[in-house]
């Protein structure tokens, strides 16, 4: 009887340990990254686009419009996001071209014999775009600080909003390298750029309509829509969570590029997990939270702003605003004092209440008109200040002093009251003729026109315009004295424009006055 001899099973070959970290390899990656960054800086598209970017920012900051003296910072931070798209597109294309250089020049085989692994070369290409993101961050910082340090700056900005521009440039560079590894074709970045632009437009529109999926786009822009700014807490933009989402997206795509290049080390796998966690956390943070409270806050600010405003008294009048506009109240008071100093009768001592108002009924920063207040002695002021908004506010204040409420200014004033209102606005203005032109809807200084105000404006007939022009040519002290001495007649609905001209000492225009019924 033979016994079977047991053959021992061969033990599995041990997994070779990962090579110890060699600091020289890290130094080589950084050296290659510096070389690639210098090469990118020498690319003509990069130089031209950065020059154009800096020029656009400079022109925006050098704008001489008076409204830029009182920038609302929660719109300034978002304004820094779109212009870096030019830089991002150039960095994407040039980084992609640099990562494909060895394939185009046929040196892939030669690089394969070098001690630096392909995934490390990929890491170097991605690190080479970091200086461009840093330069963009520098321009964004300068642009924001230039506005924030103005004495009339209103409110505060958001770090999350300011970070979007530089992160877009970084993301674009990483995408360029990733496309070179996944789709090694020079047409891939061009096609991707077109598709990505269409996606940004679509997602921004979705986010603007309140859809949270729009926030999955790296750029969600809704500033400078033409509507008036609102307090920061009414915007409902998860800016910090969105910045975290874009940071996680940058890291996740970078890890994907390393994995495609063979970098399956423990460090890369760990970094991929952390990047995925950060991206998911950013997505979750952007989900709508407590939308009912946000809607209620917007409704309160629109319908009963006094509940969320504070007030300050200057002289005889009270000035109420949202907290972020507290520093502008003294500017409003200067205008009211100037207008009221030219008034006569009881209007010279009238106590006004200047209240800031917004309309967030159909969403924030929408182009909507504020209805005139029917409360006696209340003057409306908006959230924009400076430039043409100053004389427009003066029209509202003068109308309330002459008529009693803002609500009457919408009527066609074919009488002395319109002339009186415009004299209160222009009589003490340093450049009355220019102001008269800019406050009119058609920028004219003759004929009939519509005069702008924070709420309902004022219609001027051709005769009233002529009388006002004549008054501006007369000595101011003389006209002001006549206005005060004839205040009762000049603020009466029964006093015609021709009678007002006689009372104020100017020639009665010959043209017939055409009035609205």
């Amino acid at each position: 009887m033979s016994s079977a001899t047991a053959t021992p099973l061969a033990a599995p070959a041990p997994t070779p340990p990962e090579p110890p970290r060699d600091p020289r390899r890290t130094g080589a990656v950084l050296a290659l990254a510096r070389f690639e960054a210098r090469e990118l800086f020498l690319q003509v598209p990069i130089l031209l686009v950065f020059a154009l970017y800096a020029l656009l920012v400079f022109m925006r900051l050098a704008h001489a419009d008076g409204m830029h003296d009182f920038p609302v910072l929660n719109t300034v931070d978002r304004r820094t996001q779109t212009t870096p798209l030019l830089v991002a597109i150039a960095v994407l294309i040039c980084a992609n071209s640099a990562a494909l250089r060895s394939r185009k020049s046929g040196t892939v085989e030669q690089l394969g014999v070098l001690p630096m692994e392909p995934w490390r070369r990929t890491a170097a290409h991605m690190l080479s775009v970091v200086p461009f993101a840093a330069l963009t961050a520098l321009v964004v910082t300068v642009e924001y600080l230039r506005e924030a340090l103005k004495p009339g700056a209103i409110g505060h900005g958001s770090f999350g909003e300011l970070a979007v521009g530089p992160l877009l440039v970084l993301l674009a560079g990483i995408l360029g390298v990733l496309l070179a590894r996944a789709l090694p074709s020079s047409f891939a970045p061009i096609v991707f750029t077109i598709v990505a632009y269409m996606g940004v437009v679509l997602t921004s529109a979705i986010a603007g309509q309140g859809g949270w999926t729009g926030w999955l786009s790296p750029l969600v822009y809704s500033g400078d829509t033409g509507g008036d700014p609102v307090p920061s807490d009414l915007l409902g933009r998860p800016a910090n969570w969105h910045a975290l989402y874009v940071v996680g997206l940058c890291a996740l795509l970078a890890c994907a590029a390393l994995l495609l290049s063979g970098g399956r080390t423990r460090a890369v796998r760990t970094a991929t997990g952390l990047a995925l966690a950060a991206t998911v956390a950013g997505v979750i943070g952007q989900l709508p939270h407590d939308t009912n409270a946000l809607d209620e806050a917007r409704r309160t600010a629109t319908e009963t702003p006094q509940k969320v405003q504070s007030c300050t008294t200057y002289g005889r009048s009270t000035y109420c605003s949202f907290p972020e506009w507290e520093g502008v109240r003294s500017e409003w008071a200067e205008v009211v004092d100037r207008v009221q100093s030219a008034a006569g009768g009881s209007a010279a001592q009238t106590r006004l209440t200047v209240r800031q108002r917004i309309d967030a009924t159909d969403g924030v920063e929408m182009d909507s008109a504020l209805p005139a207040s029917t409360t006696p002695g209340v003057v409306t002021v908006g959230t924009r200040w400076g430039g043409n908004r100053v004389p427009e506010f003066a029209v509202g204040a003068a109308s309330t002093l002459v008529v009693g409420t803002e609500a009457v200014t919408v009527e066609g004033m074919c009488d002395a009251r319109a002339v009186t209102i415009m004299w209160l606005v222009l009589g003490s203005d340093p450049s009355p003729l220019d102001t008269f032109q800019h406050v009119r809807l058609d920028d004219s200084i003759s004929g009939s026109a519509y005069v702008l105000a924070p709420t309902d404006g004022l219609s001027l007939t051709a005769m009233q315009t002529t009388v006002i022009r004549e008054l501006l040519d007369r000595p101011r002290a003389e006209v002001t004295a006549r206005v005060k001495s004839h205040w009762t007649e000049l603020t009466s609905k029964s006093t015609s424009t021709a009678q007002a001209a006689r009372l104020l000492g100017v020639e009665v225009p010959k043209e017939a006055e055409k009035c609205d019924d």
Side-chain angles (χ1 to χ4, degrees):
M1 184 175 180
S2 63
S3 60
T5 304
T7 304
L9 297 174
T15 302
E18 292 186 5
R21 181 176 300 176
D22 188 351
R24 290 176 298 179
R25 293 184 178 181
T26 303
V29 171
L30 295 178
L32 180 58
R34 288 193 296 269
F35 170 80
E36 293 294 346
R38 286 196 300 270
E39 289 295 309
L40 287 177
F41 270 117
L42 298 177
Q43 296 296 314
V44 174
I46 293 285
L47 293 175
L48 290 178
V49 167
F50 255 106
L52 178 61
Y53 174 41
L55 178 62
L56 290 175
V57 172
F58 174 78
M59 292 176 60
R60 189 157 57 198
L61 293 179
H63 200 287
D65 188 352
M67 290 182 61
H68 287 73
D69 294 336
F70 298 87
V72 180
L73 298 182
N74 68 30
T75 63
V76 172
D77 55 10
R78 283 174 286 155
R79 193 181 66 192
T80 65
Q81 296 178 1
T82 52
T83 317
L85 276 176
L86 297 172
V87 180
I89 293 172
V91 169
L92 186 151
I93 295 175
C94 292
N96 179 268
S97 178
L100 291 175
R101 189 189 306 119
S102 59
R103 180 179 294 273
K104 293 177 181 178
S105 58
T107 59
V108 177
E109 292 78 8
Q110 288 86 339
L111 290 176
V113 301
L114 295 178
M116 182 181 290
E117 301 93 325
W119 70 270
R120 293 184 186 273
R121 293 198 295 272
T122 299
H125 280 292
M126 289 188 291
L127 289 174
S128 69
V129 304
V130 172
F132 300 95
L135 276 177
T136 305
L138 177 62
V139 176
V140 167
T141 301
V142 170
E143 181 178 4
Y144 177 77
L145 289 179
R146 175 68 175 80
E147 299 293 279
L149 294 178
K150 289 182 178 179
I154 298 169
H156 55 83
S158 166
F159 175 80
E161 301 284 11
L162 293 171
V164 170
L167 288 175
L168 281 176
V169 175
L170 180 61
L171 180 64
I174 293 172
L175 274 172
V177 178
L178 176 60
L179 288 174
R181 297 296 178 252
L183 300 171
S185 170
S186 58
F187 292 101
I190 299 176
V191 175
F192 179 84
T193 299
I194 297 174
V195 174
Y197 176 78
M198 296 175 62
V200 166
V201 173
L202 177 62
T203 52
S204 293
I206 293 174
Q209 296 297 323
W212 75 269
T213 54
W215 287 93
L216 297 181
S217 167
L219 175 64
V220 182
Y221 179 69
S222 67
D224 288 347
T225 59
D228 291 330
V230 298
S232 301
D233 56 354
L234 301 183
L235 288 173
R237 289 175 61 90
N240 293 330
W241 286 110
H242 185 68
L244 175 62
Y245 164 70
V246 180
V247 169
L249 203 58
C250 289
L252 191 60
L253 295 180
C255 291
L258 295 177
L259 292 173
L260 282 175
S261 302
R264 295 176 176 82
T265 64
R266 182 180 303 170
V268 174
R269 293 195 298 268
T270 302
T272 303
L274 293 176
L276 181 61
T279 306
V280 172
V283 171
I284 295 174
Q286 293 178 112
L287 293 175
H289 295 94
D290 203 2
T291 56
N292 292 333
L294 180 61
D295 292 340
E296 181 61 29
R298 292 176 176 177
R299 189 179 304 109
T300 299
T302 300
E303 299 175 358
T304 53
Q306 62 272 16
K307 293 183 178 179
V308 290
Q309 290 181 346
S310 59
C311 300
T312 304
T313 299
Y314 291 100
R316 290 179 295 271
S317 300
T318 303
Y319 302 83
C320 304
S321 72
F322 298 103
E324 292 173 80
W325 278 262
E326 182 176 350
V328 194
R329 296 173 189 169
S330 59
E331 300 285 336
W332 303 339
E334 290 181 8
V335 176
V336 171
D337 289 344
R338 177 173 60 81
V339 170
Q340 198 166 20
S341 66
S346 61
Q349 303 298 324
T350 297
R351 296 181 179 273
L352 299 177
T353 299
V354 175
R355 185 169 300 283
Q356 190 174 50
R357 294 168 58 200
I358 62 172
D359 185 0
T361 305
D362 299 321
V364 296
E365 299 180 324
M366 305 297 289
D367 190 9
S368 57
L370 293 172
S373 173
T374 57
T375 304
V378 173
V379 183
T380 296
V381 65
T383 53
R384 292 186 185 273
W385 187 250
N388 290 349
R389 301 295 89 83
V390 176
E392 290 172 13
F393 170 68
V395 171
S399 300
T400 305
L401 288 173
V402 171
V403 183
T405 67
E406 294 179 331
V408 188
T409 61
V410 72
E411 300 177 358
M413 289 186 183
C414 196
D415 51 63
R417 294 178 298 170
V419 175
T420 307
I421 289 172
M422 293 311 300
W423 174 254
L424 296 184
V425 174
L426 303 172
S428 57
D429 191 275
S431 54
L433 193 59
D434 289 340
T435 300
F436 188 39
Q437 178 181 2
H438 293 152
V439 82
R440 290 159 66 99
L441 184 60
D442 58 356
D443 289 334
S444 66
I445 55 174
S446 62
S448 60
Y450 186 80
V451 176
L452 299 172
T455 56
D456 299 326
L458 178 68
S459 295
L460 291 181
T461 65
M463 178 182 283
Q464 290 168 338
T465 299
T466 302
V467 171
I468 294 167
R469 287 286 309 276
E470 291 290 334
L471 290 175
L472 295 179
D473 293 334
R474 306 278 295 183
R476 295 189 180 186
E478 175 187 331
V479 177
T480 300
R482 285 178 175 269
V483 168
K484 291 185 177 182
S485 61
H486 299 288
W487 182 258
T488 302
E489 299 97 315
L490 292 173
T491 56
S492 172
K493 188 176 181 179
S494 59
T495 305
S496 67
T497 303
Q499 291 172 326
R502 296 189 188 95
L503 290 172
L504 295 173
V506 298
E507 185 179 351
V508 178
K510 296 180 180 180
E511 67 261 29
E513 189 167 26
K514 297 180 180 179
C515 305
D516 297 331
D517 295 332

